[in-house]
Amino acid sequence: MSGLLGIHHISAFTKSKEENHFFYTKVLGLRLVKNTVNQEHTHIRHLFYGDYTGSPGTLLTFFELPRAGQSYLENNYFSTVSLLVPKGALPYWKDRLESYEVQSMLDDEGLIFTDPDHMPLRFVEAGGEETADYPTNHSSVPVEKQFIRILGIDIAVENTEKEGRFLAEWLKMEEMETPLEFTNEARTFFLRLEQSTSGKPTRFGKGAIDHLALSYESLNELETKKNEAEQLGYTVEKLVNRGYFSSLYVKDPFGQRFELATLAPGFTIDEPLDELGNTLALPDFLEPQRKKIEQTLEDN
């Protein structure tokens, strides 16, 4: 078995497709690799951004909710997303963000800023000479400065010990030298736990993260992880074929959604590589509803 490979994607909520698209494609230089819908709620548009090929590990995805209000992140929520950029790239990104009137701040880890929906992001420089495997070619961001992959995410929970046990016993993650930071065997990413500072429930809105997806090689591994989660007493929501990958959804002890997703088959099953994201893509089972879905999206 291959085991846990890294982060597959992170999915959040946006209020505006136009603002979201401009920020991620024009400002950050990612490519829109799939324009589709939420498969359970087809009136909700689902946008996937990533590197040129839409590689797992580079994907930031957004559900568009035009009527979404502000998020209130109080207790148990996914927080800051860390994005890896090449060594020495932070000054470039600070200047670029400033040129688009995006405020940013340097800290001891990297460059902190937010997207138009106030989702917190942090650029972190690579330690070696790593650069993007499949750089995009549509923006003015030079290849040597482009976003490489998702490095990690912070998770606020009411009980870090209980969440750490969930990561260790089900996902087989290891605590790093820094307390409350967990990683896989290959150390390709991190999940960092922090103590929630409020006992009030979190209320999702624009900029909130719906779920975190982690990469596994095969469907067989997902079936094994499903059985393990059930044996450990965790809530298994479903195992489903999403067309572009298969997905297992499991909730952590505090109700946050973790998805395990396969690497294949990928986004070119219904669009050529050079045309990814250009049209509304629907899985086969939704094609009979295309006219209705397109009209609903227009009316939103």
Side-chain angles (χ1 to χ4, degrees), residues 21-259:
H21 182 269
F22 181 85
F23 182 79
Y24 283 96
T25 63
K26 302 300 184 185
V27 181
L28 298 193
L30 279 67
R31 183 187 185 194
L32 177 65
V33 292
K34 195 59 62 177
N35 173 20
T36 185
V37 294
N38 182 304
Q39 294 182 8
E40 281 76 33
H41 307 283
T42 58
H43 64 287
I44 298 175
R45 190 183 297 274
H46 193 184
L47 304 171
F48 287 74
Y49 304 96
D51 65 9
Y52 186 76
T53 65
S55 307
T58 70
L59 298 169
L60 297 172
T61 96
F62 296 88
F63 301 110
E64 185 192 22
L65 300 176
R67 297 171 185 81
Q70 186 60 51
S71 293
Y72 293 90
L73 302 178
E74 300 282 355
N75 194 13
N76 303 319
Y77 59 91
F78 294 111
S79 183
T80 305
V81 178
S82 291
L83 307 174
L84 192 67
V85 294
K87 186 176 181 180
L90 289 188
Y92 168 84
W93 279 109
K94 184 165 180 56
D95 290 344
R96 184 175 179 85
L97 292 174
E98 186 177 320
S99 72
Y100 284 98
E101 299 183 345
V102 177
Q103 293 186 342
S104 65
M105 179 182 68
L106 286 165
D107 67 3
D108 57 356
E109 291 184 58
L111 185 66
I112 299 174
F113 58 103
T114 62
D115 77 359
D117 294 297
H118 306 295
M119 186 174 86
L121 301 165
R122 177 189 282 115
F123 277 142
V124 178
E125 286 190 0
E129 301 305 315
E130 190 175 359
T131 56
D133 289 333
Y134 303 100
T136 61
N137 57 18
H138 68 279
S139 82
S140 59
V141 180
V143 171
E144 66 272 15
K145 306 295 183 185
Q146 284 188 24
F147 156 72
I148 301 171
R149 58 184 169 84
I150 303 169
L151 181 61
I153 187 171
D154 298 347
I155 309 174
V157 289
E158 60 191 71
N159 185 323
T160 55
E161 182 179 351
K162 196 171 184 179
E163 186 74 0
R165 190 160 57 247
F166 167 77
L167 299 179
E169 69 177 1
W170 182 52
L171 294 174
K172 306 297 187 281
M173 297 186 71
E174 305 170 356
E175 192 164 8
M176 301 170 72
E177 293 78 9
T178 304
L180 300 182
E181 284 193 13
F182 289 78
T183 189
N184 59 338
E185 185 176 353
R187 297 197 164 217
T188 55
F189 74 105
F190 71 82
L191 303 182
R192 177 165 47 203
L193 307 183
E194 56 187 50
Q195 184 71 43
S196 296
T197 57
S198 171
K200 298 177 183 178
T202 284
R203 192 178 86 183
F204 278 3
K206 62 179 184 177
I209 294 172
D210 178 71
H211 65 269
L212 164 67
L214 303 173
S215 291
Y216 280 79
E217 182 74 36
S218 68
L219 178 59
N220 286 341
E221 289 184 278
L222 266 54
E223 291 169 341
T224 298
K225 299 308 290 183
K226 177 179 181 291
N227 293 336
E228 290 177 0
E230 290 170 340
Q231 292 167 8
L232 291 167
Y234 296 121
T235 301
V236 176
E237 293 186 305
K238 60 185 167 184
L239 176 61
V240 60
N241 180 359
R242 293 297 188 197
Y244 309 115
F245 43 82
S246 292
S247 298
L248 170 67
Y249 297 90
V250 174
K251 288 192 173 181
D252 75 1
F254 308 105
Q256 299 183 105
R257 182 174 291 111
F258 281 70
E259 175 185 351

